[in-house]
Each structure stands twice: as structure tokens, then as C-alpha cells.
Amino acid sequence: MHPFFYLRALYLNMRFTTLFLLLFCQYLVAQANFTHLQAKVSPNAINKSISGDLRYTLEIAKKIDTVFIDAVNMKFTKVRLNNKEAKFECKNNKLAFYNGLIKGKNYISFSYTATPKQTLYFNCSGLDLQIWTQGQGKNTSHWLPSFDDLNEKLIFDISVVYKNGYQVLSNGVLVDKVISNDTTTFSYKMKKPMSSYLVMLAIGEFYKQEAITKKGTKLEYYIPFKDKNKLETTYRYTPQIFNFLEKINTCFVV
């Protein structure tokens, strides 16, 4: 075969394969759709780990036999599917469920622990301690069992437990703050779905200022206390940016 025809055949085959995979993925998305995550997580700065209790809501349009959750180097306990003890498998950095799925709403719950080598970072100590995440497209699954596929969007409601005296930030609106003897639980809720890579945590001692956009959106600025004098230069153009975005009717996910 002439090299030209060989390359053209290879190109057409690659196009067909890509189209097939896209259609297959869309088919899977149509059959099973994770819609909501309720999570309660506890970072540990001493051993640089994180643990938590999660509950996923899954809508299935047509009965299937397998679903996956991305989870890199994690350990799981108390795994349940639809309030029953579930059979599961941890393989290739995925948590897989093969049995017990039903048409309609499904609920998957479990406890997990992880010591991430990336994405969740512990910096400094004492009053200078900062804990923060950086999902970078598909890395949130290193600290939170989630989805590396950017097209998989769901609502994340996250509660974070950490020792008293620190500010904890996450996605959505802070709806509750419960202080106990040694820890404080910050509970954040969202209204609209988003991709997993956008899930974030930031923990530390921060200086805070507030502002309001022309349309009444509340803005909160956080910066470490030691950098308090840099707040104005850091956030100088933030109100103008938000005013512009609101003016062109950009839709924000909260």
C-alpha cells in the first residue's frame, strides 16, 4: 500500500475510534449520573493526611452493572450501597461497584483515608500553618474520592473539621459553623453543579475584608495576617472584574 493511503486509512480509523469513544462516553453519562455529594472531611497536619465520610447520590436511567469513582491510593471502610453493605473493588486508582445498582436513585456511602502526595498541601506550622488544595484539571481524586472527567458535574456540599482557631474556606456558602471543645466544623453548601477539579479547601489564619459589586454580590478577600499590607494590591481590581462579568451576564457557579 502506498504510504499516503496507509496514513489516510490510519487517520480515518483514529477518527472513527475517537468518535466511538465519545459516543460511548455520552451513552454512559446518559445511563448513570452522579448528582450530589455530601462530604465531611478532616485534614491532619501532623501526618499530612485526610479522612472523611462521603455520601453520593446517583441517578440511573437504565439498569447498569458498574460505576466508578476516582480515588488515588485510598483506603475504604463502611462501604454501603442503598443502605446495604456493598461489594466493591479498589483497582487502578478507582473505587468500583459491580452489584446492587438499581434504576432510579442510588446512594453510595463510605469512609476513607488518604495521605496524598500531591494536590493537598500542608505548609509551615503553628500560626503560620496553611493547608490548601489545587485540583489542576483532574487531581482532586488524590485527596477526595471524586471524578477526573471534567464532564461529570455535580453539587458538592462539604463540611470540614479542623482544630479551633483557624479559618476554613471551601466552595459554596457557609451555612453552619459548630465549635466543640477542640475543633470547629465549617459546613458549606452549593446550589449548582460543577466539575471535581474545582473543589477546594483553604485552611489557615487569614485576614479578611469584604466588598460589594454594583449588582450586590458579596466579595470576601482573604490573605495571611503577615501579608495584610498586601491585600489592597492583591485584590485591587477584583470589584472591576466582577462588575464587568456581571454586566455581560456571565453565569457563576456558587
Side-chain angles (χ1 to χ4, degrees):
M1 180 184 292
H2 191 281
F4 170 78
F5 294 105
Y6 173 78
L7 290 174
R8 178 170 175 78
L10 180 61
Y11 170 71
L12 291 174
N13 183 58
M14 290 175 63
R15 288 189 63 184
F16 174 78
T17 302
T18 302
L19 178 61
F20 172 78
L21 289 173
L22 287 173
L23 292 175
F24 181 68
C25 289
Q26 289 179 353
Y27 171 79
L28 289 179
V29 171
Q31 299 305 308
N33 182 34
F34 284 87
T35 60
H36 191 195
L37 169 64
Q38 295 169 288
K40 187 174 185 179
V41 299
S42 302
N44 187 319
I46 296 175
N47 56 25
K48 297 184 178 180
S49 67
I50 187 167
S51 60
D53 300 308
L54 274 60
R55 185 175 190 263
Y56 272 106
T57 301
L58 169 66
E59 293 275 3
I60 294 180
K62 185 178 180 180
K63 190 174 180 181
I64 58 176
D65 59 8
T66 309
V67 293
F68 299 94
I69 299 174
D70 294 303
V72 180
N73 295 325
M74 295 182 180
K75 295 180 180 180
F76 299 94
T77 58
K78 303 177 183 178
V79 182
R80 300 181 70 82
L81 172 59
N82 296 326
N83 297 318
K84 297 179 181 179
E85 186 175 345
K87 293 183 178 180
F88 66 97
E89 183 179 33
C90 297
K91 189 176 181 181
N92 298 324
N93 291 326
K94 293 182 182 294
L95 174 63
F97 296 87
Y98 299 106
N99 299 299
L101 297 163
I102 61 174
K103 184 178 178 181
K105 275 193 177 181
N106 291 260
Y107 300 96
I108 297 173
S109 61
F110 52 84
S111 299
Y112 81 100
T113 58
T115 306
K117 295 182 179 180
Q118 65 179 78
T119 313
L120 177 63
Y121 301 98
F122 298 84
N123 298 290
C124 303
S125 60
L127 298 179
D128 292 327
L129 173 69
Q130 285 191 28
I131 303 172
W132 48 273
T133 60
Q134 191 172 18
Q136 289 292 77
K138 60 178 184 178
N139 293 325
T140 294
S141 58
H142 283 262
W143 70 270
L144 181 73
S146 52
F147 306 98
D148 293 339
D149 183 358
L150 304 185
N151 294 316
E152 188 79 50
K153 294 179 172 62
L154 59 153
I155 293 174
F156 293 85
D157 291 338
I158 298 182
S159 295
V160 186
V161 182
Y162 201 68
K163 57 185 177 181
N164 295 335
Y166 290 86
Q167 178 70 47
V168 174
L169 307 176
S170 190
N171 306 78
V173 176
L174 180 63
V175 295
D176 199 11
K177 182 178 176 182
V178 179
I179 301 174
S180 64
N181 292 333
D182 302 312
T183 62
T184 302
T185 302
F186 296 76
S187 297
Y188 286 88
K189 283 190 173 292
M190 295 175 56
K191 293 182 179 179
K192 297 182 180 180
M194 69 179 186
S195 301
S196 296
Y197 80 95
L198 294 170
V199 178
M200 60 79 63
L201 293 182
I203 301 174
E205 287 205 331
F206 301 118
Y207 175 73
K208 174 185 174 182
Q209 274 193 7
E210 297 182 358
I212 300 290
T213 67
K214 290 182 179 179
K215 289 193 174 182
T217 301
K218 181 180 177 181
L219 304 177
E220 297 180 350
Y221 307 147
Y222 293 88
I223 200 165
F225 272 96
K226 64 180 181 179
D227 297 322
K228 179 180 175 181
N229 61 340
K230 299 177 182 178
L231 185 140
E232 193 278 330
T233 54
T234 301
Y235 294 104
R236 178 176 295 169
Y237 300 107
T238 301
Q240 293 95 314
I241 292 170
F242 274 80
N243 288 334
F244 171 76
L245 292 173
E246 289 182 333
K247 185 177 180 180
I248 61 173
N249 296 318
T250 300
C251 181
F252 289 94
V253 177
V254 178

